[in-house]
Amino acid sequence: MNAVHPDWLIPKWPAPAGVSALFTTRAGGRSHAPYDTLNLGDHVGDHALDVAANRALLHQAIGAHPVFMAQVHGSDVLELDARTPHGRSADASVSLEPNVACSVLVADCLPVLFTCDSAALVGAAHAGWRGLCGQQGQGVLETALEQFVTLGHRNHAWRDGQAVAGEILVWLGPCIGPQAFEVGPEVREVFVAQDPAAAEHFRPADRGKWLADLQGLARQRLAALGINRIYGNDGSSGWCTVANPSRFFSHRRDQRLLGGSGRMAACIWRS
């Protein structure tokens, strides 16, 4: 990795040698308000030349090729290589090719990065509540980890040829926090219908609404897959995109107040 902006987040997790990751903030780019300054989203109304310049800055900083998807709050997963174009529709990606960065764009949704002890492969997922919940308990995390494990089997990444959940590491990046994520009762109902234990991640709010803990729901889904080596976002205020306007973009906050919001990127790659 080359020199990165000092405000960007470098995950604190025991990733193996040869695996790098980061999360950009709104600092260090060329976009103007309300996208100031490092907006990486090309679909939010920002000037195309500014977005291209910002993406070039990211590429130069990480020394790898970030591949950006057209995210649709679904659960489709792409396997990336150096020829994968930007803009393919999916909400997660996996790769074993060096210097290709699995990348997700966020501005309130939860970015999820994952790798394994062997450093053989990496992946990233974009988890808003719809993608996280999915259908009948199969959301973006379940689908992404299934493909991650399959790719690992194909390339002999697992000890003794077996996929061991204990070999997988996960980092959760900034997202809308549990004090700010107000949802309707239908959101709580669909999560609780899939798993009654999800109720612990919702608190009553005003007017019949609920406050949802997105990172808590993600941790619960990961634990159900046997994955417990989870780092990063713990639901505290420093991780909340809404509560930190000088550092993070927030679609929910900025769209209403400013008429637009940029996007940050979470990236992970093998060297």
Side-chain angles (χ1 to χ4, degrees), residues 189-258:
E189 288 167 5
V190 71
F191 275 99
V192 173
Q194 292 183 8
D195 184 352
E200 68 182 87
H201 299 296
F202 293 87
R203 294 189 298 107
D206 296 334
R207 306 179 306 280
K209 299 293 185 89
W210 295 84
L211 290 171
D213 184 355
L214 192 59
Q215 68 81 32
L217 289 164
R219 286 176 180 269
Q220 183 180 52
R221 302 292 283 252
L222 291 165
L225 296 172
I227 298 171
N228 296 298
R229 297 167 69 190
I230 307 170
Y231 305 88
N233 189 339
D234 60 3
S236 56
S237 60
W239 293 94
C240 179
T241 48
V242 176
N244 296 277
S246 64
R247 193 174 205 197
F248 300 136
F249 293 115
S250 165
H251 175 77
R252 182 168 288 208
R253 179 196 65 223
D254 299 340
Q255 195 69 33
R256 176 175 56 85
L257 295 177
L258 306 175

Side-chain angles (χ1 to χ4, degrees), residues 6 11 15 20 61 88 101 125 128 132 135 139 160 206 247 270:
S20 300
R88 290 185 59 185
L132 185 63
Q135 299 289 330
D160 303 320
D206 296 334
R247 193 174 205 197
R270 299 176 62 237

Side-chain angles (χ1 to χ4, degrees), residues 2 7 15 25 40 48 73 78 128-129 133 143 147 149 153 156 163 197 199 204-205 208 211 217 230 237 247 254 261:
N2 300 321
D7 192 57
T25 64
L40 296 164
H73 298 275
L78 294 177
W129 77 260
C133 187
T143 305
Q147 190 153 336
V149 168
H153 274 305
H156 312 292
L211 290 171
L217 289 164
I230 307 170
S237 60
R247 193 174 205 197
D254 299 340
S261 177

Side-chain angles (χ1 to χ4, degrees):
M1 195 179 337
N2 300 321
V4 301
H5 194 283
D7 192 57
W8 297 359
L9 278 65
I10 306 299
K12 296 180 180 178
W13 63 331
V19 171
S20 300
L22 62 70
F23 181 86
T24 66
T25 64
R26 61 186 306 161
R30 301 186 183 181
S31 294
H32 301 283
Y35 309 105
D36 47 328
T37 58
L38 189 68
N39 167 47
L40 296 164
D42 64 357
H43 62 294
V44 297
D46 195 4
H47 294 295
L49 291 178
D50 288 339
V51 176
N54 291 339
R55 290 186 172 188
L57 286 169
L58 174 63
H59 189 170
Q60 181 179 19
I62 68 176
H65 172 55
V67 179
F68 296 104
M69 304 171 290
Q71 298 165 188
V72 294
H73 298 275
S75 58
D76 287 345
V77 184
L78 294 177
E79 182 180 335
L80 306 183
D81 60 32
R83 298 167 298 281
T84 306
H86 296 303
R88 290 185 59 185
S89 179
D91 283 270
S93 61
V94 296
S95 183
L96 51 80
E97 187 157 332
N99 300 315
V100 173
C102 296
S103 306
V104 292
L105 295 172
V106 293
D108 281 333
C109 292
L110 177 68
V112 182
L113 304 180
F114 41 96
T115 187
C116 59
D117 287 333
S118 70
L121 60 164
V122 296
H126 160 250
W129 77 260
R130 290 179 179 83
L132 185 63
C133 187
Q135 299 289 330
Q136 298 179 328
Q138 184 76 12
V140 67
L141 295 186
E142 289 82 6
T143 305
L145 269 299
E146 281 181 9
Q147 190 153 336
F148 184 77
V149 168
T150 298
L151 185 60
H153 274 305
R154 208 166 72 214
N155 292 276
H156 312 292
W158 312 115
R159 291 187 302 243
D160 303 320
Q162 300 267 328
V164 180
E167 296 180 48
I168 297 174
L169 301 84
V170 174
W171 184 82
L172 308 179
C175 71
I176 188 170
Q179 303 299 324
F181 192 23
E182 188 176 83
V183 299
E186 71 282 358
V187 176
R188 179 181 182 273
E189 288 167 5
V190 71
F191 275 99
V192 173
Q194 292 183 8
D195 184 352
E200 68 182 87
H201 299 296
F202 293 87
R203 294 189 298 107
D206 296 334
R207 306 179 306 280
K209 299 293 185 89
W210 295 84
L211 290 171
D213 184 355
L214 192 59
Q215 68 81 32
L217 289 164
R219 286 176 180 269
Q220 183 180 52
R221 302 292 283 252
L222 291 165
L225 296 172
I227 298 171
N228 296 298
R229 297 167 69 190
I230 307 170
Y231 305 88
N233 189 339
D234 60 3
S236 56
S237 60
W239 293 94
C240 179
T241 48
V242 176
N244 296 277
S246 64
R247 193 174 205 197
F248 300 136
F249 293 115
S250 165
H251 175 77
R252 182 168 288 208
R253 179 196 65 223
D254 299 340
Q255 195 69 33
R256 176 175 56 85
L257 295 177
L258 306 175
S261 177
R263 296 293 187 271
M264 303 164 292
C267 303
I268 185 167
W269 66 98
R270 299 176 62 237
S271 57

